[in-house]
Amino acid sequence: MVNSALYNVDAGHRAVIFDRFRGVQDIVLPRIYTSIGEDYNEQVLPSITTEILGSVVARFDAGELIIQRELVSRQVSDDLTKRAATFRLILNDMSLTHLTFWKEFTEAVEAKQVAQQGAERARFVVEKAEQQKKAAIISEGDSKAAELIANSLATAGDGLIELRKLEAAQDIAYQLSRSRNITYLPAGQSVLLQLPQ
C-alpha cells in the first residue's frame, strides 16, 4: 500500500498529488527546480563535493588519509549528506572509489614510513646494547662478589658462616614472634631447625 504511494519525479517535471480523502492537491514540489534549475546535479553536486572533500581532507594528515581510508570515507559521506540536505537533495549513497596523491607526495609518505621503521629498529638496537651492558656489569659484579666471599671464607675460616647462621636465626626468630600461632622449639634445638652445622 505504501509503495504504491511513492513515485520519483524527474527534474524539471511536476507531479499531481491525489489524496483519496481530499482529492487533487494544489501542492507541487517546485523548490529545487525554481531555486537551482533542471541541471542541479551538474551545478550543486560537484561544487559541494569539492567543498566537502577539501574540508574533510584538511582534518587529516597524509598518513592518516592513506591508513584510515574507511574513516575518511565515512566522514565525507556524512558531511556531504548534511550539505546536500541544505539544497533539499537526498544523498542515498556515496563512496570514495579512488584516492590518489601526487607522485612526490606518495613517495614522501613512503620515505617517512621507512624512516620511522629505521628509527624504531635503531632504538631497539640501542636498547638491546644497553641491556647487554647492564647484564655484563651485573655478571661482573656477581663474579667479584663470589670472589670476595671465597677469599673471606679462605681467610676468616668459619667465622663468616657462623655470622650468616646468626643472621638467619635472628630473622627466623623475628618472623616467629610476629606470628599469631604459638611455636615451641624443643630444648637444646638450634633455631635453624637442624640445619647442617
Side-chain angles (χ1 to χ4, degrees):
M1 182 66 117
V2 172
N3 287 339
S4 64
L6 300 176
Y7 295 96
N8 283 335
V9 178
D10 293 331
H13 295 83
R14 294 183 179 192
V16 174
I17 299 175
F18 175 75
D19 185 333
R20 290 186 181 191
F21 301 109
R22 294 181 287 168
V24 175
Q25 301 293 306
D26 290 332
I27 302 169
V28 293
L29 315 161
R31 288 191 181 112
I32 293 176
Y33 180 72
T34 57
S35 63
I36 302 172
E38 279 188 51
D39 57 348
Y40 68 91
N41 58 341
E42 294 172 6
Q43 288 184 6
V44 175
L45 292 178
S47 65
I48 65 172
T49 302
T50 303
E51 171 191 335
I52 295 301
L53 280 174
S55 166
V56 171
V57 167
R59 295 180 207 158
F60 298 91
D61 66 24
E64 292 172 336
L65 287 173
I66 294 171
I67 295 169
Q68 299 178 354
R69 189 176 294 209
E70 275 294 317
L71 176 64
V72 173
S73 180
R74 186 172 48 248
Q75 192 66 52
V76 168
S77 178
D78 293 346
D79 291 1
L80 193 56
T81 300
K82 290 175 188 171
R83 185 70 173 117
T86 62
F87 291 95
R88 299 184 187 273
L89 298 175
I90 299 171
L91 186 64
N92 290 330
D93 190 23
M94 190 286 312
S95 64
L96 293 177
T97 57
H98 192 64
L99 185 62
T100 58
F101 299 100
W102 299 283
K103 180 180 177 185
E104 295 83 13
F105 179 76
T106 304
E107 290 172 355
V109 170
E110 289 172 0
K112 180 181 176 185
Q113 289 176 340
V114 168
Q116 286 175 339
Q117 290 172 354
E120 289 293 324
R121 194 174 303 118
R123 188 175 335 169
F124 172 74
V125 169
V126 168
E127 287 178 9
K128 183 179 176 184
E130 287 176 358
Q131 293 299 326
Q132 289 174 342
K133 182 179 176 183
K134 288 179 184 177
I137 291 171
I138 290 171
S139 177
E140 184 180 331
D142 288 345
S143 297
K144 188 68 173 171
E147 182 182 330
L148 290 173
I149 290 173
N151 288 342
S152 68
L153 284 175
T155 58
D158 293 334
L160 182 62
I161 293 174
E162 289 300 318
L163 177 64
R164 295 291 184 219
K165 281 184 180 180
L166 288 174
E167 288 173 349
Q170 184 181 9
D171 185 48
I172 291 170
Y174 175 75
Q175 294 297 329
L176 289 175
S177 70
R178 294 180 49 90
S179 173
R180 291 184 174 202
N181 299 329
I182 298 174
T183 306
Y184 294 100
L185 294 176
Q189 292 290 323
S190 167
V191 178
L192 295 178
L193 302 175
Q194 302 298 332
L195 292 177
Q197 297 296 322

